[in-house]
Amino acid sequence: MSLFNPIVYLVSGFRWSFYGTSDVGVAVSLAATLALFILCLAVVVWVFRTG
Amino acid sequence: MSAAAKIASFNRHGVLAIYRFELSRFKRTVWQSLVTPVITTSLYFVVFGAAIGSRMSEVGRRALRLLHRAGADHAVAVYRKPQQCLVRDLPAEVHRHYYEVLSAPVSALEIVLAYVGAAATKSVILGLVILATATLFVPMRIEHPLWMIAFLALTAATFSLFGFIIGIWAKGFEQLAVHPDAGHYPRLPFWAGPSIRSIYCRPRGAR
């Protein structure tokens, strides 16, 4: 159930950088973090375009 | 407008002015911005250590408290990042003085760059301070320091953008509480991810 929480992927990637091991693969963590960043960026762009 | 013209018209003085103003606000509210999270982290380690103590289990050959240190650092930073960005936005919206920024000769990109950049910078500083605090309680060794900085910076930027969105969307302090109340606190039980099972689940073979 925890895997439905996007923050798990962020924390997991962060943990991997500390210990070299993590619950989720680092590539998946990085992809999830980048996806969340792009999503937030897209919303900000949409907000400024639509007013 | 061509790309070269856009670069030439980039108002770096405006961006730097907003960025510096936001960082100076961080200094003015040092108790709220810096001291409170440090005390919270210290209490977390003291209380958590006392509560679990010798029952601290091993997860993947790592003591659970070590796994929680990264989680603590990350979670505190994640929680504070949107707060730092939206706390700036909301009073401006409530008091209707957004026109100061909107009437200034800065584009939307420059506004986002300045506010989100400042919030992300503050969050990275806070994250590193929390990390330094945590090392007082548990030993530290970072396997991939550059990746750690990269993940911290990326998370800081992401959640600062998230805070910026909430800051624009919120019409009052009730909506401001959506993030901590509906987003952060319910997340805490899942905070440690799958490793939290080791606390709540019965060890194999136990009755």
Side-chain angles (χ1 to χ4, degrees):
Chain A
M1 187 166 173
S2 298
L3 295 175
F4 286 103
N5 180 3
I7 306 302
V8 165
Y9 298 97
L10 273 63
V11 175
S12 195
F14 201 60
R15 278 190 182 143
W16 171 84
S17 66
F18 272 77
Y19 310 117
T21 56
S22 61
D23 299 316
V24 183
V26 65
V28 177
S29 296
L30 190 62
T33 312
L34 280 172
L36 206 58
F37 176 77
I38 291 166
L39 181 69
C40 287
L41 203 59
V43 172
V44 169
V45 169
W46 175 75
V47 164
F48 274 105
R49 280 197 178 160
T50 56
Chain B
M1 189 186 286
S2 68
K6 277 184 182 175
I7 292 169
S9 65
F10 182 77
N11 186 354
R12 70 175 193 281
H13 294 294
V15 173
L16 276 176
I18 297 171
Y19 182 84
R20 283 177 185 154
F21 177 79
E22 287 301 301
L23 286 187
S24 69
R25 198 170 62 83
F26 185 62
K27 288 180 199 163
R28 288 200 306 274
T29 57
V30 69
W31 277 95
Q32 181 195 335
S33 306
L34 204 61
V35 178
T36 306
V38 167
I39 293 171
T40 307
T41 307
S42 304
L43 285 173
Y44 168 77
F45 277 101
V46 169
V47 172
F48 190 78
I52 304 294
S54 59
R55 286 174 292 169
M56 186 80 73
S57 59
E58 298 283 327
V59 179
R61 292 174 294 160
R62 298 277 179 188
L64 194 59
R65 66 178 183 278
L66 290 176
L67 285 170
H68 272 262
R69 191 195 58 207
D73 188 34
H74 198 269
V76 168
V78 161
Y79 172 61
R80 292 280 169 180
K81 277 156 200 165
Q83 289 254 311
Q84 282 168 357
C85 208
L86 62 84
V87 160
R88 171 64 186 90
D89 286 350
L90 192 72
E93 189 157 321
V94 168
H95 300 299
R96 300 282 186 265
H97 59 79
Y98 254 140
Y99 65 87
E100 290 175 0
V101 173
L102 294 176
S103 60
V106 284
S107 66
L109 173 70
E110 288 157 357
I111 291 172
V112 173
L113 204 61
Y115 282 120
V116 173
T121 304
K122 287 185 277 186
S123 302
V124 168
I125 293 169
L126 179 62
L128 294 176
V129 169
I130 296 294
L131 186 63
T133 308
T135 56
L136 299 174
F137 298 93
V138 288
M140 185 179 78
R141 184 168 175 269
I142 302 171
E143 298 273 345
H144 309 284
L146 291 178
W147 275 108
M148 190 273 281
I149 296 291
F151 268 111
L152 188 62
L154 190 58
T155 312
T158 303
F159 280 86
S160 296
L161 276 172
F162 184 58
F164 192 80
I165 294 164
I166 293 178
I168 290 173
W169 167 74
K171 299 290 179 202
F173 288 98
E174 190 180 357
Q175 288 175 329
L176 181 72
V178 162
H179 166 252
D181 291 350
H184 183 67
Y185 294 126
R187 200 170 61 224
L188 283 176
F190 306 111
W191 183 42
S195 63
I196 202 78
R197 286 189 303 236
S198 58
I199 296 177
Y200 296 117
C201 295
R202 192 178 297 168
R204 198 173 290 173
R207 299 188 60 177

